[in-house]
Amino acid sequence: MSIDLNAFNKFFIDYQQRFVHFACTYVHDEAVAEDFVVESMMYYWENKDRLSADTNIPAYVLTTIKHKCIDYLRHQQVYQDASDEIARIYAWELSGRIMTLEDFEPYEVFTKEIQEIVDRTLDALPEQTRKIFVMSRNENKSHKEIAELLDITTKGVEFHISKATRTLRLALKDYLPVSLLFSICNLLAELI
């Protein structure tokens, strides 16, 4: 038994660096290569009694190292392929987010939201107030023309327009500074 162990130790010392160098050539990681050599040597030691007497021991161990390297490299290839696919999917998704953000127009969003608020606010106004406001802003009728068409005073027209404008300012207070609301209300009213 001690003769076998002494022979194994000599074999290990004689071939370890050569085997590590061989494995490292393929796996590019010295620690992994060293592990494969030790594991392969241990595999030989544990199975030496099953081998025929004419077995070329260095070739046997080197074959074991070769298979460990192949398994390792195949695993690395699977890992790399998966990583490449994940990177491809991430790049595609990132590109989509960039394109979406580039196409995004905040003014359009706010314009739509503001338009919806204006529409709801006008719909909630009393019929006469809404009608006068629309005639003034959309149809560009003067206060006098509206007063004559509806058979009311110009002061009555001004009252209804003022009431609609105040209601719109209040409804849009979260979107624009108060000083701009009146101008925006006039512009939006033209869009209606």
Side-chain angles (χ1 to χ4, degrees):
M1 177 77 171
S2 66
I3 295 172
D4 283 346
L5 189 56
N6 287 337
F8 177 76
N9 284 338
K10 181 172 178 5
F11 170 71
F12 187 86
I13 291 167
D14 290 346
Y15 285 93
Q16 179 190 19
Q17 283 308 313
R18 289 186 233 176
F19 289 160
V20 168
H21 178 71
F22 170 81
C24 200
T25 301
Y26 294 98
V27 299
H28 296 176
D29 186 328
E30 192 163 345
V32 170
E34 288 174 358
D35 287 346
F36 289 169
V37 169
V38 170
E39 290 169 9
S40 298
M41 293 278 204
M42 294 301 295
Y43 182 77
Y44 158 70
W45 179 255
E46 292 167 357
N47 294 290
K48 69 183 177 352
D49 295 333
R50 293 184 212 152
L51 302 175
S52 66
D54 64 341
T55 300
N56 181 335
I57 297 169
Y60 178 83
V61 173
L62 193 57
T63 300
T64 306
I65 294 168
K66 170 189 156 185
H67 289 294
K68 287 185 175 292
C69 289
I70 289 170
D71 290 345
Y72 176 83
L73 293 173
R74 284 185 178 147
H75 176 75
Q76 291 296 310
Q77 186 174 28
V78 167
Y79 177 81
Q80 188 61 51
D81 290 347
S83 294
D84 290 348
E85 183 62 15
I86 290 168
R88 187 190 66 75
I89 290 169
Y90 179 75
W92 175 79
E93 189 268 338
L94 183 61
S95 175
R97 283 190 283 155
I98 289 169
M99 287 186 336
T100 302
L101 192 55
E102 286 174 342
D103 292 342
F104 175 71
E105 291 296 334
Y107 293 108
E108 288 179 16
V109 171
F110 284 118
T111 300
K112 287 177 187 174
E113 286 182 24
I114 291 170
Q115 186 62 50
E116 287 174 7
I117 292 169
V118 168
D119 291 343
R120 279 194 313 266
T121 303
L122 289 178
D123 287 344
L125 289 174
E127 178 66 27
Q128 182 81 342
T129 303
R130 184 175 49 75
K131 186 175 183 180
I132 291 171
F133 185 80
V134 168
M135 289 173 79
S136 169
R137 298 302 192 253
N138 290 6
E139 299 170 14
N140 293 321
K141 296 196 182 300
S142 68
H143 292 187
K144 184 177 178 184
E145 290 174 310
I146 297 169
E148 288 174 4
L149 285 170
L150 299 178
D151 198 29
I152 61 172
T153 66
T154 55
K155 289 284 186 197
V157 171
E158 289 171 9
F159 167 80
H160 286 289
I161 291 173
S162 177
K163 180 179 178 180
T165 303
R166 271 193 315 274
T167 306
L168 284 168
R169 277 187 195 148
L170 188 61
L172 295 171
K173 72 181 180 331
D174 294 334
Y175 286 85
L176 299 169
V178 175
S179 61
L180 296 177
L181 280 177
F182 185 73
S183 301
I184 296 299
C185 285
N186 288 337
L187 286 172
L188 287 174
E190 292 172 13
L191 296 174
I192 300 172

